Amino acid sequence: MPLTVRDLLAIPSLHLALAAGGKGLSRTVEAAYASEVTRPSAWMEGGEVVMTTALLLGADPQDHAAYVDDLSRARAAALVLGLGPSLPLQHVPAALGDLAEQCGLPLLTIPEGVPPAAVTKAVFDARAAEERRLLERTLRTQRRLTAAAASGDGLDGLLRAWHLATGMAAVVCDVLGRPLAGVGTQAPTVLAQAAEILEAVALRGLRGSAGGDIPSGRVQVQPLGAARLRGFVLLLGTDSTESRLLSSVLVSLLSVELERRHLADEPERRRRAALLARLFAGDLAAGHAEALLKSVGLGTGPIRAVAIQAQPGPPPGAARAEGSNRREDVLALAADLALAVPGGLVRVIGTTVEAVLPEGTDVTSLLTRFAPGRPAGIGPAVTPQHAALTLRQAIALLPASVELARPVMATEAGSVRLLLSLGSPAVLAAFADTALAPLDTADGDGELIETLRVWLETNGSWAETSALLGLHRHTVQNRIAKIAKLTGRQMERCEDRVDLWLALQAREQATGH
């Protein structure tokens, strides 16, 4: 246990006596030093026992009040006042004792014959002994944790050994926050209560860790894994020096265990990749395709394929040689997705990761979490026997995703907006101006442009355009005739109508409205 003022007072050889401030005897002592300055806080870090003869303090109660206040603000552990015939004071000034009592600052006296160095040495020896005891306890606990890791009991064995040694509740979860193992009566509630802290750590991967207060107490969240994030451990309890030392050991052993589990899961990932290859074969009957999905715990509802172009390069915070670890990075991405997607149907083809997801899966969140910044095509939802079709469309969308620097969904593939989004604002503006410049010049109030837009959107309906614009039919016809004359377009020709409509869409895309 840490050295307290009460422990220091109990050392017989120091001949210390309590004069005031008994409420603060449980304060932890970090150091001890002698000082005669009247404002010692500038030299303090907190937890010090300050020894003085009050040589410069004087007898003014206001000076005493300022001195005690300075020690209190500096979080002093205690004040030791030297008394004796040849010292400035032979007894404790009443004002000084009253002030120390009021603020709970232990005021001790020490006789003239005991040197201040004896107090300093006693504090040093006690702290050194405590550090030795802490080190011995830590080594014993480390041996227990290591033995648990070698026992083959996995995560449960490690957490039981931790709880037995520290009494702290702990929970291990995977990268999605799903519980893998827990120990302690509060373990079942920790994950839900610490969701925000866990999410903050997850955003930083292996570089992140955080602590905070939750209804169950103080929680520490640490990432687990070697080269890649494999999960998290949440430790509930006091953030003591001993727990910090031991938690680093626990994190290392848990990381090794999760890496072992990852390697042990490789045959299952290969089996599911083989199932996915059969699903993508394209010649399956409906019943066979549904049976494949059921074998991995999925229903028989609509599915969609996702194709992700895995790019070479180091993950955040790591240095990788380009090319040499490219395959490793692709496989690691596939393994992450196999853990995250329902059913785990994921495979690697070259540098592309392909997966099948149930229709209701939040694909955007999934890609943001596990494949940020990577090109991705998202196929349409289809019945299971048409998995090959959704995969072909997902792969076909990868070039557009590369250009747009974002995932692209199949619902966008037939959209003119997707086509227009591939061009830069300057190119789109130039295309629009080329077609619409004659109207811009002759149409100061924008009437012709607006009439053209509504007429094209109503497929050239005179009656509907008139109703929407609140104009007479002949007015609309005159405006369209004027547009044809200004632009040199034949409005009955499909090609000319398409050109003008694309020009309007391009201008909207370029300007954002």
Side-chain angles (χ1 to χ4, degrees), residues 180-197:
L180 299 176
V183 65
T185 57
Q186 297 161 306
T189 61
V190 170
L191 273 178
Q193 294 176 2
E196 291 186 6
I197 302 174

Side-chain angles (χ1 to χ4, degrees), residues 427-437 440 502-508 510:
V427 171
L428 295 178
F431 168 66
D433 291 345
T434 299
L436 302 176
D440 294 334
L502 283 175
L504 291 172
Q505 296 297 312
R507 176 167 290 180
E508 181 179 335

Side-chain angles (χ1 to χ4, degrees), residues 30-170:
E30 302 290 348
Y33 77 100
S35 174
E36 296 298 337
V37 298
T38 58
R39 296 294 183 270
S41 61
W43 306 90
M44 297 171 61
E45 295 182 348
E48 292 91 347
V49 170
V50 178
M51 295 173 285
T52 183
T53 63
L55 178 65
L56 303 178
L57 187 57
D60 191 335
Q62 291 186 350
D63 292 339
H64 294 171
Y67 184 67
V68 171
D69 180 66
D70 187 66
L71 290 174
S72 296
R73 285 188 291 104
R75 297 176 291 107
L79 171 63
V80 176
L81 188 62
L83 302 178
S86 64
L87 297 178
L89 296 175
Q90 283 74 52
H91 59 80
V92 178
L96 189 63
D98 291 342
L99 291 165
E101 185 69 31
Q102 291 174 16
C103 67
L105 174 68
L107 174 56
L108 312 180
T109 62
I110 187 170
E112 183 177 359
V114 180
V119 177
T120 301
K121 183 177 185 300
V123 170
F124 176 83
D125 289 345
R127 285 185 56 81
E130 174 60 24
E131 289 177 359
R132 284 195 300 273
R133 288 192 294 270
L134 174 61
L135 180 58
E136 290 170 358
R137 288 197 304 270
T138 301
L139 290 174
R140 286 196 300 269
T141 304
Q142 181 177 347
R143 284 193 291 269
R144 291 175 184 169
L145 291 175
T146 303
S151 69
D153 290 338
L155 296 175
D156 291 326
L158 267 171
L159 293 188
R160 283 196 301 269
W162 166 264
H163 189 59
L164 182 64
T166 66
M168 295 173 64

Side-chain angles (χ1 to χ4, degrees), residues 126-331:
R127 285 185 56 81
E130 174 60 24
E131 289 177 359
R132 284 195 300 273
R133 288 192 294 270
L134 174 61
L135 180 58
E136 290 170 358
R137 288 197 304 270
T138 301
L139 290 174
R140 286 196 300 269
T141 304
Q142 181 177 347
R143 284 193 291 269
R144 291 175 184 169
L145 291 175
T146 303
S151 69
D153 290 338
L155 296 175
D156 291 326
L158 267 171
L159 293 188
R160 283 196 301 269
W162 166 264
H163 189 59
L164 182 64
T166 66
M168 295 173 64
V171 177
V172 174
C173 63
D174 65 16
V175 291
L176 295 177
R178 298 176 296 200
L180 299 176
V183 65
T185 57
Q186 297 161 306
T189 61
V190 170
L191 273 178
Q193 294 176 2
E196 291 186 6
I197 302 174
L198 184 62
E199 181 63 24
V201 174
L203 292 175
R204 299 195 62 196
L206 288 174
R207 298 176 298 171
S209 64
D213 293 315
I214 60 175
S216 296
R218 184 73 179 174
V219 67
Q220 295 290 325
V221 181
Q222 296 282 351
L224 301 175
R228 295 182 73 88
L229 182 67
R230 301 296 182 200
F232 306 92
V233 60
L234 293 81
L235 304 175
L236 190 66
T238 58
D239 186 22
S240 64
T241 302
E242 182 177 9
S243 66
R244 286 194 297 271
L245 289 172
L246 291 174
S247 65
S248 63
V249 177
L250 179 66
V251 166
S252 298
L253 294 174
L254 288 174
S255 294
V256 171
E257 177 60 24
L258 287 186
E259 291 292 347
R260 186 196 65 77
R261 288 165 63 105
H262 173 75
L263 292 174
D265 289 342
E266 177 61 22
E268 178 61 17
R269 287 194 294 271
R270 291 182 179 179
R271 184 185 76 84
R272 295 185 181 235
L275 290 180
L276 186 57
R278 291 168 60 191
L279 190 64
F280 284 154
D283 56 356
L284 292 181
H288 193 180
E290 292 174 358
L292 285 178
L293 293 183
K294 288 181 179 179
S295 71
V296 294
L298 293 181
T300 58
I303 58 173
R304 69 174 79 247
V306 176
I308 305 169
Q309 184 174 311
Q311 298 173 327
R320 297 286 188 90
E322 185 174 349
S324 62
N325 289 296
R326 181 174 184 175
R327 181 68 177 175
E328 178 184 334
D329 290 338
V330 176
L331 293 175

